[in-house]
């Protein structure tokens, strides 16, 4: 019998709501069409922002959004994206499809989008092809309440009040598209750039240094040794690619083997988190610097017939399982992992939303984020999982996490096995339930997904296939490839 044992005495503290963040880049149809359609679009919008997308993100309680990239961040010059839209500079988006970027979505538009959604902005500055002055002045433009020429430019562009941006990234993947730097070089660049990213009272920046790719602990070591006192966060990127980078695998119509491999690879994120934290802890004994997983998710071959530079892929119950597993892992490391941003929010990679013209679809991944939202800023409760293995003994079949907020305990539990149902005993020592309710997400196959003609094939349903056994134990039956959320009221 699979067991999930909750231990209220054993908590890592608060689960930051920012673990439920998203990432949006000027890539394919993420920003343009996915978020921003312009004021004159026939698609319902407020100040150019799609109303359907804004409303869906509000329902999901999106807490934080990273922008403008990704690789795009290190070729983005913020001054090109302010002032009258029609006269903004047109540039080539060299990373993503070579399309012309007209800069009609810039700083003010991003801040307006965050305002409408009610999320915090996380802006990634340009180290790779920008200058220290450029980055310093972007911070000044955003946060200074004074009347410097740079701040006055913001007033002239319609925003007298400072924006008060907190989360600040100093470069992106500077070991790759952000300048192909060695760790030993970037650490000096990081120290120099962050020196000029000033705090304009009352706003205090939360500086995020470019961190490692996957298991590159050397990068982490160099960054921590050389700059840990000058950062609040170190980022890490990890993508789940079922095949290899040349042949990643299909987003739909995949085999059982590909399903299993995907989940085994997704589970690896926990090993990576532990490896980087072990290095970070050697320098930062008081755990002041947080690990920020600001790019994660599945990466498949693009959908046939779409621009290969646009990274558009469908999203199935397999992706929902990756999200359920990953978010549980983040919750269970919430003392050190303080922000995460799935790549990406709309129409790119493991998107929570897909759009086509005026149509919008919520993906299975969206539903997982929405079902998990009660964990945001809740008090984590240790959830020990004792379970069978699947995928030829490589994967724990069950994943779970738990938290408590406003007198209710939330437990999210998934059966990752793509073929077999699972019975799970939830042992809740010291939690006496007076009422339990639940919701479940599952499809008729691991490949189940939503498309523009069938937007509700996969959607959460009321979950009743559980029974209380005694005062503090619940027996759950979970179909293959499903995720459930239980709300337990004392
Ligand atoms: O999310 C797509 C790309 O993946 C980002 O631009 C880059 O940072 C990463 O390599």
């Amino acid at each position: 019998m699979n067991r999930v044992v909750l231990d209220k005495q054993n908590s890592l503290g608060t689960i930051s709501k920012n673990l439920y963040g998203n990432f949006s880049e000027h890539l394919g149809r993420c920003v343009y069409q996915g978020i921003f359609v312009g004021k004159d679009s026939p698609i319902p919008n407020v100040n150019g922002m799609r109303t359907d997308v804004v409303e869906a993100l509000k329902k999901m309680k999106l807490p934080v959004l990273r922008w403008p990239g990704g690789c795009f961040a290190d070729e983005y010059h913020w001054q090109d994206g302010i002032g009258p839209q029609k006269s903004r500079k047109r540039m080539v988006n060299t990373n993503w499809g070579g399309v012309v970027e007209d800069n009609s979505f810039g700083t003010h538009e991003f801040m307006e989008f965050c305002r409408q959604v009610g999320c915090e902005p996380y802006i990634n500055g340009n180290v790779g092809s920008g200058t220290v002055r450029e980055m310093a002045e972007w911070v000044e433009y955003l946060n200074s309440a004074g009347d410097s020429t740079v701040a006055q430019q913001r007033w002239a562009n319609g925003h007298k009040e400072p924006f008060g941006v907190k989360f600040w990234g100093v470069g992106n993947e500077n070991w790759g598209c952000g300048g192909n730097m060695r760790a030993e070089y970037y650490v000096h660049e990081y120290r120099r750039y962050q020196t000029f990213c000033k705090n304009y009272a009352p706003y205090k920046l939360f500086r995020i240094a470019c961190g490692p790719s996957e298991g590159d602990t050397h990068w982490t070591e160099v960054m921590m040794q050389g700059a840990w006192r000058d950062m609040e966060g170190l980022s890490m990127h990890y993508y789940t690619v079922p095949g290899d980078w040349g042949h990643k695998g299909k987003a739909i119509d995949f085999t059982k083997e590909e399903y299993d491999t995907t989940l085994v690879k997704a589970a690896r994120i926990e090993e990576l988190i532990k490896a980087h934290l072990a290095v970070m802890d050697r320098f930062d004994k008081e755990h002041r610097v947080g690990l920020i997983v600001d790019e994660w998710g599945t990466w498949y071959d693009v959908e046939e017939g779409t621009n290969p530079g646009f990274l558009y892929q469908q999203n199935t119950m397999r992706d929902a399982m990756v999200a359920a597993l990953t978010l549980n892992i983040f919750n269970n490391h919430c003392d050190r992992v303080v922000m995460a941003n799935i790549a990406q929010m709309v129409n790119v990679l493991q998107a929570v939303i897909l759009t086509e013209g005026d149509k919008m679809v919520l993906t299975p991944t969206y539903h997982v984020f929405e079902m998990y939202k009660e964990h945001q800023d809740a008090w984590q409760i240790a959830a020990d999982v004792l379970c069978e293995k699947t995928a030829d003994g490589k994967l724990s079949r069950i994943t779970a996490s738990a938290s408590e907020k406003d007198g209710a305990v939330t437990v999210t539990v998934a059966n990752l096995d793509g073929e077999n149902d699972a019975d799970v005993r939830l042992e809740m020592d010291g939690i006496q339930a007076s009422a339990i309710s639940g919701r479940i997400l599952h499809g008729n196959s691991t490949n189940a997904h939503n498309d523009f003609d069938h937007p509700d094939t996969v959607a959460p349903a009321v979950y009743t296939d559980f029974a209380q056994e005694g005062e503090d134990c619940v027996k759950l039956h979970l179909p293959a490839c499903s995720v459930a959320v239980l709300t337990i009221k004392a």
Side-chain angles (χ1 to χ4, degrees):
M1 166 72 79
N2 305 295
R3 293 168 64 205
V4 175
V5 183
L6 303 189
D7 180 2
K8 264 184 95 165
Q9 307 312 317
N10 201 350
S11 170
L12 295 173
T14 301
I15 296 174
S16 169
K17 64 179 180 183
N18 295 328
L19 293 179
Y20 291 83
N22 278 210
F23 167 39
S24 60
E25 179 165 12
H26 288 240
L27 193 179
R29 296 186 300 112
C30 182
V31 167
Y32 299 108
Q33 297 180 42
I35 294 177
F36 183 68
V37 287
K39 284 184 186 150
D40 301 330
S41 170
I43 298 172
N45 70 84
V46 175
N47 296 329
M49 313 299 155
R50 290 184 75 121
T51 304
D52 51 358
V53 169
V54 168
E55 289 307 316
L57 294 171
K58 276 161 79 172
K59 184 164 180 238
M60 195 185 87
K61 275 181 77 180
L62 179 71
V64 62
L65 182 60
R66 178 174 182 245
W67 172 85
C71 295
F72 183 76
D74 281 288
E75 68 175 5
Y76 181 64
H77 301 283
W78 69 272
Q79 294 98 333
D80 298 343
I82 56 169
Q85 277 172 346
K86 288 212 162 57
S87 52
R88 292 187 192 172
K89 183 173 169 185
R90 293 164 65 79
M91 64 180 279
V92 181
N93 188 333
T94 63
N95 284 291
W96 306 118
V99 294
V100 170
E101 160 68 55
D102 69 4
N103 275 306
S104 54
F105 188 93
T107 299
H108 288 258
E109 288 75 21
F110 175 63
M111 296 306 299
E112 168 62 9
F113 183 73
C114 291
R115 186 193 68 76
Q116 289 187 25
V117 172
C119 66
E120 283 257 358
Y122 163 15
I123 294 185
N124 212 116
N126 178 348
V127 169
S129 70
T131 63
V132 172
R133 175 177 177 177
E134 188 180 342
M135 191 183 287
E137 289 189 348
W138 200 2
V139 175
E140 182 184 347
Y141 184 88
L142 288 160
N143 287 357
S144 170
D147 65 352
S148 65
T149 303
V150 171
Q152 282 183 14
Q153 235 184 323
R154 186 191 66 233
W155 309 356
N157 290 327
H159 214 275
K160 183 89 203 274
E161 287 303 306
F163 287 112
V165 169
K166 174 176 173 189
F167 296 112
W168 193 261
V170 181
N172 168 75
E173 295 196 352
N174 300 92
W175 37 262
C177 63
N180 284 307
M181 302 174 195
R182 295 200 172 83
E184 291 75 6
Y185 181 82
Y186 172 74
V187 72
H188 289 288
E189 289 294 89
Y190 175 78
R191 286 167 62 121
R192 190 162 72 103
Y193 273 73
Q194 69 76 35
T195 303
F196 300 95
C197 294
K198 302 291 183 187
N199 289 324
Y200 293 90
Y203 310 111
K204 194 165 183 319
L205 292 178
F206 184 102
R207 297 157 299 176
I208 300 168
C210 165
S213 167
E214 305 199 352
D216 183 0
T217 48
H218 172 74
W219 186 281
T220 304
E221 172 102 28
V222 172
M223 287 307 298
M224 291 302 287
Q225 185 162 46
W228 75 271
R229 287 188 181 80
D230 300 315
M231 66 176 86
E232 280 69 46
L234 182 70
S235 85
M236 166 188 140
H237 291 178
Y238 178 63
Y239 284 99
T240 299
V241 180
D244 55 41
W245 285 101
H247 301 93
K248 301 180 203 66
K250 284 160 93 175
I252 44 176
D253 300 329
F254 46 82
T255 62
K256 174 193 172 331
E257 286 66 38
E258 285 172 295
Y259 174 86
D260 286 346
T261 310
T262 306
L263 287 165
V264 169
K265 288 193 167 180
R268 197 177 152 230
I269 201 167
E270 183 158 34
E271 196 185 295
L272 299 175
I273 288 171
K274 286 182 181 163
H276 292 296
L277 288 179
V279 176
M280 289 168 72
D281 289 353
R282 292 211 326 268
F283 298 92
D284 175 22
K285 301 216 169 7
E286 285 169 13
H287 295 178
R288 198 186 54 76
V289 180
L291 188 62
I292 313 276
V293 188
D294 55 14
E295 288 187 30
W296 69 272
T298 53
W299 193 324
Y300 309 122
D301 294 330
V302 296
E303 189 151 309
E304 243 169 74
T306 64
N307 185 327
F310 282 13
L311 310 187
Y312 180 79
Q313 63 189 39
Q314 247 297 355
N315 194 291
T316 67
M317 275 306 295
R318 172 176 62 166
D319 297 276
M321 292 298 102
V322 170
L325 169 65
T326 308
L327 293 172
N328 281 338
I329 291 171
F330 292 157
N331 288 345
N332 292 329
H333 289 276
C334 68
D335 55 335
R336 304 289 281 113
V337 183
V338 298
M339 193 202 287
N341 310 76
I342 193 169
Q344 298 192 6
M345 190 168 69
V346 193
N347 292 333
V348 172
L349 300 177
Q350 192 178 348
V352 298
I353 293 174
L354 301 176
T355 67
E356 198 177 86
D358 63 353
K359 294 188 189 146
M360 180 190 80
V361 153
L362 305 177
T363 66
T365 299
Y366 172 93
H367 291 305
V368 174
F369 271 73
E370 191 278 321
M371 287 167 71
Y372 276 50
K373 67 187 177 191
E374 287 309 318
H375 285 310
Q376 293 189 23
D377 283 342
W379 189 249
Q380 190 254 10
I381 296 175
D384 202 10
V385 177
L386 306 149
C387 70
E388 302 147 358
K389 296 269 185 189
T390 180
D392 297 333
K394 292 192 191 117
L395 181 71
S396 295
R397 198 172 181 194
I398 304 298
T399 162
S401 68
S403 67
E404 186 170 23
K405 187 165 70 180
D406 302 332
V409 170
T410 299
V411 181
T412 46
V413 52
N415 175 13
L416 303 177
D417 192 317
E419 296 193 314
N420 304 295
D421 292 9
D423 290 316
V424 180
R425 228 177 108 87
L426 175 64
E427 299 170 24
M428 317 181 290
D429 193 21
I431 305 170
Q432 276 155 24
S434 68
I436 305 181
S437 57
R439 289 199 298 154
I440 189 162
L441 188 76
H442 70 115
N444 54 10
S445 80
T446 54
N447 263 289
H449 59 277
N450 295 330
D451 62 30
F452 298 100
D453 296 325
H454 313 92
D456 297 317
T457 303
V458 179
V462 173
Y463 177 51
T464 52
D465 204 358
F466 59 85
Q468 213 166 332
E469 279 188 347
E471 263 186 350
D472 54 10
C473 182
V474 185
K475 209 170 146 206
L476 318 171
H477 181 80
L478 291 172
C481 188
S482 68
V483 51
V485 55
L486 291 181
T487 306
I488 303 163
K489 297 219 164 107

